[in-house]
Structures are given as structure tokens and as C-alpha cells.
């Protein structure tokens, strides 16, 4: 368990995350400015040097992720952060890191896209984050905070998962979580153990074979073996799926949402319950691994499911796979940096409740 | 390994594999410069006794398998990113000797930004730049360093400046940067050239101890297969055609 401070502080999400990273023993950060996450780089540039953390503003996100590659391979606890367009530039490097089995933490403070898009919050990078994003068969470990508190706590969880599974992990936040100020009780310095890295390239002593960090396995027989190792790792990872449920015990309608959308859903649930519609929420805290089993179980006890996202409908595909036709799954979302209002979600819940009632009358 | 003979059938052993090279046949084409440069690097590492403290970065290109031959810890970087990867390593391990080893496509096309900024930051690493004026690994396409008029698989009528621009003199560019400490251009096409390159490598690694900035060595090299020549022809061609544009010698030498 991670120990926390006694006193809360009022902080921006990006700053809480950066402070938590230092307390998690971050050894090196490489990044490039982009709104709405530049505070992470700025905070670390001011604080890092005095606290044993190397902080370097790279010439691009391409360079940043490859500096991360080198530093992780040299055995350090490393992090980078960016927002959507910059994360796109990092995809090649992340694919290489997944293949070379290098741990790191990447923070994506998601903004509206596609293209240069908007600096407003969005969840349009769900597919990119959870399905691989770069080339080849791989996954990132993806955590989705929905409060400033989680922006801090998930840094520790991200490092733990990345380092124990030797895989890049991502915190998939959004512009609102990065920018909003909230109370946060920060994790204490030094409460995250270091996983030994005998594979790191620190210089070859006579007592061991040379260490090679590579993603090149030119013989297909070998490349398949590496793939099998990765797939086995992803299977083991399924046990790490995390989620939170809210008012699901008597719920007839189940909302599924993560991050900022989940906060809006909480408000919508209050409004729906005032109107007598029994509504609950399942909030995935890990998007990869996705809490499919938990969702499948809850699906049995409700009448219908509504997925709410700040995109055109991405996580809903994983929801449908998990529910596997047991219940109808609907989707509601806003795109391009627009945030759904609780009232809009309520309208969807009401329509769904009416449909459920009609269906019940008919049968 | 282990016991090393000093004479065979009465003949004296005057040349042997340094311990820092693995006992692996190299995949390079006959006459290619890569193998010689690998050997020189590893000879210097052995002579300085720094095998335990050296970390190399292999590029994407013909020398992508450099780590099969060099008996040191190594990382294989994405195409063009070797100097960024080396930056990451060196920042974490400032007391290690770190080098990147890159072809002209890697260093002067897809990785130009990383090259310039790595040197401009004065990263305390050695950058070895193999300029063979061609993309060897992918089958002889035009490189940024390809000479005007030179025929490659993507310039079948010869490189035309109006279409393909001019050969990029990366080493001259890099020498302008304040972060560069030692910049030199060498070759491996003659025994004398080999000795000079070895000296340049040795100097660079000695300088690295002193944290003075980036050392950058261009090696004007041949590519017999890509140039469609015998090794001897390619070395003659190199001297006649490459040197006028890429003359060997120091471009920046330390003052202190
Ligand atoms: C992103 C990316 N683009 C293209 C390639 C294909 N590729 C591999 S090596 C190479 C060129 C290498 O040429 P150079 O750097 O001059 O080295 P050489 O092979 O001549 O030693 C290219 C284009 C790649 N591996 N990755």
C-alpha cells in the first residue's frame, strides 16, 4: 500500500501528477511542450533538479520518447507526458519499447482531434491508447484517472505496473483533469519499491553476458516467440483490471464511463434517481486491461447499458464485447472537445428507461 | 578463447581479434567499411580498459546487428533516433562511455533533427557517422550524402540537384555548433587511414572523460554492393569522387 500525506493540498491535475512523479522516485523526464499538459514539464523543470530528477526539454516528442527508451534501458524510472498530437509522434517509440519490453510511464492529457484539433478536453485517443497505437501486436497498460487525486495516485500505480510487467504504461487523462484544481492528498515520497533490472545496459562486467536491448528479431521464428511472451504477459495483466462501481446494487440502467465522463455520469445518476430511474455507474480505472469480467457480471443484473464518452464511440466497442449481447448497449458522446452535460446524459437515460418499460409491457 | 597462441607453425601471430569483439562471423559484404570501424572501436575500448563502462547504440541500417559483434552492452534504436537514445543513456549514466553508430540515412536524413540537437546540447557522447553515400541496407537507394550525378536505385539517371537537392555536408554543419568539441572526417580505405581513424576514436573517448561536449567522427566509407563495384574499385572511386566533396581531416579540434 502507498502511504499518503496527512494534509490535503489544492493543486492542478497536471501539477499533482508531476509532484507525485517526483515522490514516486522519478529519475528522468523528457518532454516537449503542448497544451493542455505543459505544466507537467514546467513543474518538473522547476522542481526536478533539486530532487534528483533529470529533466530535459527535447527537440520533439520523437526525440523525447527515444530518450525515454535509452534512459529506461539504462535502468532508470522514467516518464514523459504530452497531449494527443505529441502522443501520435511517440507511437513508433512506444511500439519499440513494447517489443524491447522497456518500462516507462507516458501521460496523455487528451485534447480534441483529429489533427491539430482543439485544446479542449476529449477522450478521442481511447483506441490509440488501448489497442496498441503503433505498429505490431502490443498493448500499453492504460490507467484512466477521474479526479486530481487519481492523477497523483495513478502515477504510482502506473510505475508499479510498467516496471513489474516490463511494459510501457499510459495515464490517459484529459485537458479538464489536467487543468482543474482540486483537493489532493499526495502519496508519500519513497513508498514505491524499485524492481531490480538485471537486463539494463549499464556496462558489461566480466561476470555476465552483454545486455542487449532490441526490438529486432529478424528470424520470424524468434519474432513469434517474442510475440508469444508479450501475449502471455497481456493475459497475466488481465488480473490487474481495476474499476469502481456506484449505486449498482438496485440499478436497472448501468452507465459505463471513464475519466471526466464518469464525473458527468455521477451527476446524471443523481438527476435520474430524483426522477425515480434506478441508475448506476461502472467506471473502469484501467482501460487496458479492461474490466470485462466485472462488466459482464453487472450486465446480468441490469436492463440496459449506456456508455458515455467524449468521442464518437470507442470504449463502447469493448463494452459490447464484454456484455456480449446479454443486454442492449447504447452510446452517447460529444466530440471535438465538447463535454456532455449531465442533462444531456439524463435525456439519454430517460429515453432508455422508456424503451425498457415498453419492452417490459410488450412481453 | 582463453589461451591465445602467439605463434602458429613457427609463424608469429601479429594480428588477432580483440577480446571486445565476439567470435561471430560478420554479415557485411566483402570489402565493406563497417567491419573495420567496428573493430577499431572495440580495439580502443579494449586498450582503454573500458569494456565495463561502455554502452553503444546501434542504428537501423547495415550495422543494425552491431551488437552481435561488439561484446559490450548495447541498445538498438529506431531509424534515426540513435543519438536521442544515446542522450537518454548518457544522462542516466554520466560516467559511462556512450557512443552512437549511424549511417548517412540514419543520421543525416530521418534523424537530422536529433543529430543537430544532440550536438547542440553538447551531449558527452561519441557519434560515429558512416557516410557511404547510399542506403546500403535497403538495397542502394539515394542517401542525403549521395553525390550529384551518382546513380542509385532511386536516382537511376543520377542525382539531379534540381529534383533531389544537394549532397548534405552534415559534418560541416555539426562543426558550427558550440556543443561540438571535436569534429573530424576520416576513412578506412587504406592502412594509414585506418590508423588515423583509430587515433580519432581514442581521442574522442579520452575527451568524453572530461565532459567537454560531443565528439563527432565522420567515416567516409564505401559500399561495394550498393555502388556495384569490387572492393578495390570502390576504394579507388571513394578517393577520387567522395574526397573532393568530403575531404578527410579535422573540422574542429579542442583548444584546451
Ligand atoms: C522508420 C523507418 N523507415 C525506413 C526504414 C527502412 N530502412 C532501414 S535501413 C534504411 C537506410 C539505411 O541507410 P544508412 O543509414 O545510410 O545505413 P547503411 O545501411 O548504408 O549502413 C532504411 C530507409 C526503417 N527501418 N524505419
Amino acid at each position: 500500500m502507498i502511504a499518503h500525506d496527512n494534509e490535503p493540498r489544492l493543486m492542478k491535475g497536471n501539477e499533482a501528477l508531476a509532484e507525485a512523479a517526483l515522490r514516486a522516485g522519478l529519475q528522468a523526464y523528457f518532454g516537449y511542450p503542448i497544451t493542455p499538459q505543459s505544466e507537467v514539464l514546467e513543474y518538473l523543470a522547476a522542481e526536478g533538479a533539486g530532487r534528483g530528477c533529470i529533466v530535459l526539454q527535447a527537440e520533439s516528442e520523437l526525440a523525447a520518447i527515444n530518450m525515454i527508451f535509452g534512459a529506461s534501458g539504462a535502468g532508470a524510472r522514467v516518464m514523459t507526458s504530452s497531449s494527443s498530437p505529441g502522443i501520435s509522434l511517440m507511437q513508433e517509440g512506444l511500439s519499440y519499447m513494447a517489443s524491447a519490453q522497456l518500462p516507462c510511464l507516458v501521460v496523455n492529457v487528451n485534447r480534441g482531434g483529429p489533427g491539430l484539433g482543439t485544446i479542449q478536453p476529449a477522450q478521442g485517443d481511447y483506441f490509440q491508447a488501448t489497442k496498441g497505437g503503433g505498429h505490431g501486436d502490443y498493448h500499453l497498460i492504460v490507467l484512466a484517472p477521474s479526479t486530481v487525486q487519481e492523477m497523483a495516485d495513478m502515477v504510482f500505480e502506473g510505475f508499479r505496473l510498467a516496471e513489474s510487467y516490463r511494459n510501457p504504461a499510459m495515464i490517459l487523462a484529459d485537458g479538464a483533469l489536467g487543468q482543474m484544481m482540486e483537493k489532493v492528498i499526495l502519496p508519500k515520497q519513497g513508498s514505491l519499491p524499485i524492481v531490480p533490472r538485471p537486463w539494463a545496459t549499464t556496462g558489461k562486467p566480466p561476470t555476465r553476458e552483454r545486455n542487449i536491448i532490441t526490438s529486432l528479431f529478424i528470424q520470424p521464428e524468434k519474432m513469434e516467440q517474442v510475440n508469444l511472451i508479450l501475449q502471455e504477459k497481456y493475459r497475466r495483466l488481465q488480473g490487474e483490471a481495476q474499476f469502481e462501481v456506484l449505486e449498482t446494487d438496485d440499478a436497472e440502467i448501468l452507465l459505463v464511463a471513464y475519466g471526466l465522463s464518469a464525473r458527468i455520469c455521477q451527476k446524471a445518476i443523481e438527476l435520474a434517481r430524483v426522477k425515480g430511474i434506478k441508475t448506476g455507474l461502472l467506471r473502469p480505472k484501467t482501460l487496458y486491461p479492461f474490466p470485462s469480467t466485472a462488466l459482464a457480471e453487472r450486465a446480468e443484473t441490469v436492463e440496459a447499458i449506456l456508455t458515455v464518452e467524449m468521442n464518437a464511440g470507442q470504449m463502447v466497442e469493448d463494452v459490447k464485447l464484454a456484455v456480449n449481447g446479454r443486454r442492449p448497449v447504447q452510446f452517447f458522446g460529444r466530440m471535438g472537445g465538447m463535454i456532455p452535460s449531465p442533462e444531456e446524459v439524463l435525456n439519454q437515460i430517460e429515453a432508455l428507461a422508456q424503451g425498457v418499460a415498453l419492452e417490459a409491457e410488450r412481453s | 578463447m582463453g589461451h591465445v597462441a602467439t605463434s602458429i607453425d613457427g609463424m608469429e601471430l601479429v594480428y588477432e581479434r580483440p577480446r571486445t569483439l565476439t567470435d561471430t562471423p560478420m554479415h557485411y559484404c566483402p570489402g565493406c567499411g563497417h567491419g573495420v570501424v567496428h573493430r577499431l572501436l572495440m580495439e580502443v575500448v579494449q586498450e582503454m580498459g573500458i569494456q565495463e563502462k561502455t554502452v553503444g547504440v546501434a542504428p537501423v541500417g547495415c550495422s543494425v546487428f552491431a551488437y552481435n559483434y561488439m561484446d559490450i552492452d548495447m541498445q538498438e534504436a529506431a531509424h534515426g533516433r540513435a543519438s536521442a537514445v544515446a542522450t537518454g543513456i548518457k544522462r542516466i549514466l554520466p560516467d559511462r562511455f556512450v557512443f552512437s553508430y549511424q549511417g548517412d540515412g540514419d543520421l543525416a536524413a530521418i534523424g537530422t533533427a536529433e543529430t543537430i540537437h544532440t550536438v547542440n546540447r553538447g551531449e558527452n557522447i561519441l557519434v560515429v557517422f558512416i557516410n557511404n553515400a547510399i542506403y546500403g541496407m535497403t538495397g542502394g537507394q539515394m542517401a542525403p550524402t549521395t553525390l550529384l550525378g551518382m546513380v542509385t536505385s532511386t536516382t537511376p539517371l543520377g542525382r539531379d540537384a534540381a529534383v533531389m537537392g544537394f549532397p548534405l555536408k552534415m559534418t560541416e554543419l555539426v562543426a558550427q555548433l558550440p556543443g561540438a568539441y571535436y569534429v573530424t572526417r576520416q576513412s578506412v580505405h587504406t592502412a594509414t587511414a585506418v590508423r588515423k581513424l583509430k587515433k580519432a576514436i581514442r581521442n574522442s573517448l579520452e575527451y568524453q572523460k572530461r565532459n567537454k561536449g560531443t565528439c563527432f567522427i565522420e567515416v567516409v566509407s564505401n559500399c561495394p554492393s550498393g555502388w556495384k563495384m569490387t572492393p578495390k574499385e570502390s576504394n579507388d572511386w571513394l578517393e577520387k569522387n567522395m574526397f573532393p566533396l568530403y575531404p578527410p581531416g579535422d573540422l574542429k579540434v579542442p583548444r584546451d
Side-chain angles (χ1 to χ4, degrees), chain A residues 27-28 30 54-60 62-63 66-76 78 92 96 102 200-206 208-216 218, chain B residues 22 24 51-55 60 64-65 67-79 81 83-89 91-93 96 110 113-115 117-118 121 123 137:
Chain A
Q27 288 169 286
F30 303 95
I54 292 152
V55 179
L56 185 59
Q57 179 172 331
E59 62 270 29
S60 69
L62 264 180
N66 285 285
M67 290 171 184
I68 288 279
F69 184 106
S72 176
V78 291
E92 181 200 38
Y96 277 63
L102 289 178
T201 57
T202 50
K204 175 203 161 339
R208 67 158 165 81
E209 288 289 296
R210 66 192 186 283
N211 282 342
I212 296 166
I213 288 169
T214 184
S215 66
L216 174 69
I218 200 90
Chain B
T22 63
T24 312
Q51 184 181 20
E52 273 189 65
K53 300 196 81 182
T54 304
V55 184
V60 172
V64 71
F65 287 121
Y67 53 71
N68 283 345
Y69 312 128
M70 302 187 190
D71 193 16
I72 53 170
D73 281 1
M74 285 193 84
Q75 296 193 20
E76 156 51 39
H79 193 23
R81 317 294 164 224
S83 70
V85 170
T87 296
I89 298 170
R91 293 283 175 135
I92 297 302
L93 304 169
R96 305 303 199 279
I110 195 167
E114 282 79 358
T115 308
H117 286 279
T118 299
R121 285 190 305 266
E123 298 291 341
M137 188 192 210

Side-chain angles (χ1 to χ4, degrees), chain B residues 83-244:
Chain B
S83 70
V85 170
T87 296
I89 298 170
K90 185 70 181 187
R91 293 283 175 135
I92 297 302
L93 304 169
D95 66 336
R96 305 303 199 279
F97 296 86
V98 177
F99 68 87
S100 74
Y101 183 107
Q102 304 175 250
D104 41 62
D106 199 70
L107 179 139
I110 195 167
T112 311
E114 282 79 358
T115 308
I116 300 271
H117 286 279
T118 299
V119 181
N120 197 48
R121 285 190 305 266
E123 298 291 341
N124 288 301
I125 62 168
L126 164 63
V127 177
V128 180
F129 165 33
I130 309 292
N131 177 7
N132 58 12
I134 207 158
Y135 283 14
M137 188 192 210
T138 39
Q141 296 84 7
M142 183 191 73
T145 48
T146 295
L147 304 179
L148 290 182
M150 189 172 164
V151 172
T152 71
S153 67
T154 50
T155 53
L157 303 176
R159 183 177 187 165
D160 174 1
V163 183
M164 300 294 190
F166 298 89
L168 184 55
K169 299 179 75 164
M170 200 64 181
T171 305
E172 275 76 359
L173 242 158
V174 153
Q176 306 302 311
L177 304 173
Y181 187 63
Y182 172 51
V183 180
T184 188
R185 182 184 283 122
Q186 303 292 336
S187 68
V188 287
H189 71 303
T190 63
T192 317
V194 166
R195 274 196 296 277
K196 280 192 188 156
L197 173 60
K198 183 167 174 182
K199 186 89 178 57
I201 294 172
R202 175 80 193 223
N203 286 343
S204 300
L205 292 178
E206 296 287 354
Y207 296 147
Q208 196 170 135
K209 277 190 208 160
R210 290 158 44 193
N211 283 338
K212 291 286 191 179
T214 313
C215 294
F216 189 99
I217 305 178
E218 174 179 341
V219 184
V220 181
S221 192
N222 60 350
C223 180
S225 300
W227 296 357
K228 308 207 181 341
M229 294 176 198
T230 65
K232 164 117 184 44
E233 281 167 3
S234 72
N235 281 335
D236 295 344
W237 192 89
L238 177 151
E239 215 175 273
K240 190 154 167 278
N241 298 281
M242 297 272 283
F243 280 0

